[in-house]
Amino acid sequence: MTAPEVVTDPAVAPLTVRGSRRGLPGLRLFSLTHGFQRATLILGIALIAVFLFAAVFAPLIAPYGLAQNASDGIDFVRQQAPSADHWLGTSIRGEDVFSRVLYGARTALYVIGVSLVLSLFVGVPLGLISGYIGRWVDRVLVLFMDAMYAFPTLLLAIVVSIMVAGGNSSKLGGVLSAAIAITVIFVPQYFRVVRNATVAVKTEPYVDAARVSGASTGRILYRHIFANVTQSLPVIITLNGAEAILTLAGLGFLGFGIEPTQAAEWGFDLNKALQDVPNGIWWTGVFPGAAIVLVVLGMTLVGESLNEVLNPLLRTRRGVDAAAPEPEVDDARST
């Protein structure tokens, strides 16, 4: 999953909605959608909302703990099919699958939040500096980021996770190592998008005017360039959230995730469910897998919908198509 192309055509008008400048930004974006695009956006938002609700309120919704396999001194039946006591059944370790899925959403939210924040704080400033200063600084940073971008993402995440965790699979160590591993994957994407946009706008007249007036480099980058090169970041953040889910699941599936008694993780549960498949035990793998698919689908739908709204080139094409006059009917031919 790669970052969408940033269009920096100065002739394209910025995103505005007539008569709704004082409204909420989300409502302005929503008003620009229509038809199938609006339906996909609503579906994506609904899936993300369910994911966030499950992650935030997991301790209140889950009937059991994330690693609980007994209640009132009685052990749960291992690999029990879905029932009234265990809505999604139990795993091979006797844990409630429904509780594991809910707590897995909380783990995923932690990792997504930390990785995206770290990626933004590292990739965006480096992209601004590289694109604006240029010269040897730009060459060194571009070479380094391209080298990182050339590595297979999952392999790079595994190497970084091993280096950061150092054998520590606790909740904090596991979440932090997974988040840093995913951050290393995302930083080159933010760097390339912001750097290319900065190169395109640093020669604009308003930047030259600020430079001539004596403004410092930091002020120019923050006040005059930053706001004009980050318009596509919401799209990248949404798509990267989906990629973070898949990378985290891949790490957990391969055994580089978090200790199962410390935090629930969907990829680890899928790995343990592999041995259940030949025995016809489907619920231990279907529900964690369905959670991954639905969350990734929701974030992808929102990201693609935002890309169609925020991408100036796509907006211009839609505007031209909408403004195209209908073919005139020759009245003389009809008589």
Side-chain angles (χ1 to χ4, degrees):
M1 196 173 294
T2 58
E5 181 181 358
V6 178
V7 180
T8 55
D9 187 355
V12 177
L15 176 63
T16 56
V17 179
R18 187 177 303 174
S20 60
R21 294 183 178 179
R22 296 184 180 180
L24 296 176
L27 294 180
R28 292 202 299 269
L29 293 176
F30 184 79
S31 64
L32 292 175
T33 62
H34 60 279
F36 182 74
Q37 180 189 4
R38 177 171 295 184
T40 57
L41 178 60
I42 294 175
L43 177 60
I45 293 175
L47 292 174
I48 294 177
V50 172
F51 164 68
L52 294 176
F53 182 83
V56 173
F57 298 102
L60 301 178
I61 303 174
Y64 305 102
L66 62 93
Q68 184 178 352
N69 54 18
S71 179
D72 297 330
I74 302 176
D75 293 340
F76 297 149
V77 178
R78 298 177 183 271
Q79 298 176 321
Q80 180 181 355
S83 62
D85 295 330
H86 303 281
W87 293 351
L88 304 184
T90 58
S91 66
I92 191 173
R93 300 179 304 276
E95 300 161 343
D96 183 69
V97 175
F98 179 61
S99 300
R100 294 283 299 180
V101 170
L102 292 177
Y103 279 101
R106 167 165 284 205
T107 303
L109 181 62
Y110 284 151
V111 173
I112 291 175
V114 175
S115 62
L116 291 181
V117 170
L118 291 177
S119 301
L120 288 171
F121 273 95
V122 176
V124 173
L126 289 180
L128 288 171
I129 294 173
S130 178
Y132 183 77
I133 296 179
R135 299 189 298 274
W136 66 269
V137 175
D138 181 52
R139 290 194 294 269
V140 171
L141 287 176
V142 168
L143 178 62
F144 181 73
M145 293 297 174
D146 286 346
M148 292 176 57
Y149 204 78
F151 277 93
T153 56
L154 187 57
L155 177 60
L156 182 61
I158 292 174
V159 173
V160 175
S161 178
I162 295 174
M163 294 175 58
V164 174
N168 182 15
S169 297
S170 62
K171 180 178 181 180
L172 179 60
V175 169
L176 186 60
S177 63
I180 294 178
I182 297 173
T183 298
V184 174
I185 298 173
F186 289 165
V187 165
Q189 298 182 19
Y190 291 103
F191 170 83
R192 294 174 69 175
V193 171
V194 175
R195 183 255 178 195
N196 294 340
T198 302
V199 171
V201 304
K202 72 176 183 179
T203 56
E204 292 293 324
Y206 63 88
V207 178
D208 292 334
R211 191 182 300 113
V212 171
S213 65
S216 63
T217 301
R219 182 178 179 85
I220 293 175
L221 290 176
Y222 178 73
R223 296 293 300 271
H224 302 282
I225 296 181
F226 177 76
N228 294 282
V229 302
T230 57
Q231 296 180 359
S232 62
L233 288 185
V235 179
I236 306 176
I237 290 173
T238 307
L239 297 177
N240 280 349
E243 187 176 356
I245 292 287
L246 296 176
T247 305
L248 176 62
L251 290 174
F253 186 83
L254 295 176
F256 298 98
I258 308 168
E259 182 68 28
T261 59
Q262 300 295 324
E265 204 280 305
W266 293 332
F268 178 86
D269 292 343
L270 281 177
N271 177 274
K272 294 302 179 183
L274 287 178
Q275 52 190 321
D276 296 337
V277 175
N279 300 323
I281 302 173
W282 54 269
W283 54 89
T284 57
V286 167
F287 295 114
I292 296 174
V293 171
L294 292 177
V295 174
V296 172
L297 176 62
M299 292 185 176
T300 303
L301 291 177
V302 172
E304 293 297 338
S305 299
L306 290 179
N307 187 34
E308 292 187 15
V309 174
L310 297 176
N311 192 319
L313 182 58
L314 295 179
R315 292 204 316 271
T316 303
R317 290 174 179 173
R318 288 199 306 269
V320 171
D321 293 340
E326 295 183 357
E328 297 181 359
V329 179
D330 191 355
D331 295 334
R333 183 179 301 176
S334 60
T335 58

